[in-house]
Amino acid sequence: MELKRVVVTGLGALTPLGNDVPTTWAAAIEGKSGAGPITHFDASKFKTQFACEVKGFNAADHIDRKKLRQLDLYAQYALVAARQAVQDSKLEEAPNLDRNRVGVIVAAGIGGLHTFEEEAGYYALNEANGPKYNPFFIPKMIADIASGHISMEYEYHGPNYGVVSACASSNNAIIDAFNLIRLGKADAFITGGAEAAIFPAGVGGFNSMHALSTRNDSPETASRPFSKSRDGFVMGEGSAILILEELEHAKARGAKIYAEVVGGGMSADAYHLTATHPEGLGAKLSMQAALDDAGMTPDDIDYINVHGTSTPVGDVSEIKAITELFGEAAYKLNISSTKSMTGHLLGATGALEALFSIKAVEEGIIPPTINHEEGDDDENIDYSLNFTFNKAQKRDVRAALSNAFGFGGHNATVIVKKYKE
């Protein structure tokens, strides 16, 4: 069976750097930080009092009041970003669009945490009648519901589900959509991820694990991947959505093509609940699987958007995996962690970083890793690699690889390249 080719024809984003793709991308290229004091709740008694929040977003400007009652914040983000992507792709203008062959796979690592916190954490118990819950509690909370809302909005009847693999979730969603299209099961997918966990349970939970930076005196410099002084990740939120489409379907309607998706790889560390494998075993397997799937070698990759969370252990293991797998080719490519600007969007992070990789391919510019001051003493971080520290770099990007790793040892890698006939 000959596999079909899959291209990207639409992009949407609601992020800590901006409420659309152009604003987000411009801020990333300028090296801006999306971090600041938490506004979603009073964090004054928490170890970490800052995060990378979406700013200036009023859901009522985008979603009618009746529907808004049914949507957790993470699903609100997903729906708005999906609308941007669909509009950008002009998919709805396609003549004779077969809605039975358009699907939705939108991921969340956690889902409706705020809804769960409000309903399960603070319910009022009436002695006579028992606890009272909002009838929308369950359908607002569950991690698959964003996909459901998006499919209902457009009446798309193709495959529809969510993916949950912690911080690898939206890369897994993209890979699923990619595979279903190239196998001929669908013509197009709305895919990506959304997350909104900057609430007491999210911040407190990660604080208890000592996973978050506590650099409260300087939030904008707290996310500092590969720097000696890094002390944990900065939580982010938002959504990034891609429209993936079968090539001939896209060409037939004259769609703009941003890039081509050519490979997806997945693996398991099978090592620890939360820590990455110290030798980078799972990361290496995932990247190798993606290269094999794309029919590529390390020399074909010009840019890696690394997972790079700014944690002491994770940064080291990923770089070790890259240097071992890529060999001499590792010194010819650019590496950057855009989490230094956006924070870590958890289940949505893979989709946002895939979007950045697509834009890097399209425009020939590498977004930087900001906040770098001093190198780590760990010999496994080779600073002769091009980490693209502090300033964007122009270069021709033939192909880009994007990594996403999650608690539970989940690893997922996506490869995109320039589209050619």
Side-chain angles (χ1 to χ4, degrees), residues 89 115 148 247-248 257 376 378 389 407 412:
S89 73
T115 295
L247 174 60
E248 297 305 321
I257 295 175
D376 198 315
D378 194 302
F389 283 133
F407 286 176

Side-chain angles (χ1 to χ4, degrees), residues 197-368:
I198 304 173
F199 292 101
V203 175
F206 282 115
N207 267 158
S208 71
M209 299 170 61
H210 306 287
L212 296 180
S213 170
T214 56
R215 200 179 294 273
N216 293 314
D217 59 337
S218 183
E220 68 280 357
T221 67
S223 184
R224 44 180 64 199
F226 313 115
S227 289
K228 183 177 182 178
S229 56
R230 64 192 185 279
D231 68 331
F233 76 84
V234 177
M235 193 181 297
E237 65 173 0
S239 177
I241 300 292
L242 317 178
I243 305 298
L244 301 192
E245 195 167 347
E246 192 273 321
L247 174 60
E248 297 305 321
H249 189 272
K251 287 169 62 177
R253 65 182 190 85
K256 175 181 177 177
I257 295 175
Y258 284 96
E260 183 173 2
V261 184
V262 291
M266 297 170 282
S267 73
D269 278 351
Y271 169 73
H272 190 272
L273 281 177
T274 57
T276 56
H277 193 286
E279 300 301 314
L281 175 63
K284 184 177 177 181
L285 289 171
S286 182
M287 289 187 286
Q288 183 66 70
L291 288 168
D292 291 345
D293 192 37
M296 288 180 163
T297 69
D299 286 309
D300 296 319
I301 304 296
D302 291 320
Y303 170 50
I304 298 179
N305 189 304
V306 292
H307 189 58
T309 57
S310 189
T311 56
V313 176
D315 289 2
V316 173
S317 62
E318 185 174 10
I319 294 304
K320 188 170 186 181
I322 290 169
T323 53
E324 287 186 2
L325 176 61
F326 280 74
E328 288 301 314
Y331 300 89
K332 301 174 185 177
L333 51 78
N334 283 72
I335 293 167
S336 74
S337 172
T338 46
K339 287 185 182 70
S340 59
M341 298 175 283
T342 67
H344 190 352
L345 274 67
L346 308 178
T349 202
L352 179 55
E353 289 158 16
L355 187 153
F356 284 146
S357 299
I358 290 161
K359 293 297 290 182
V361 166
E362 181 197 19
E363 298 194 5
I365 187 166
I366 308 295

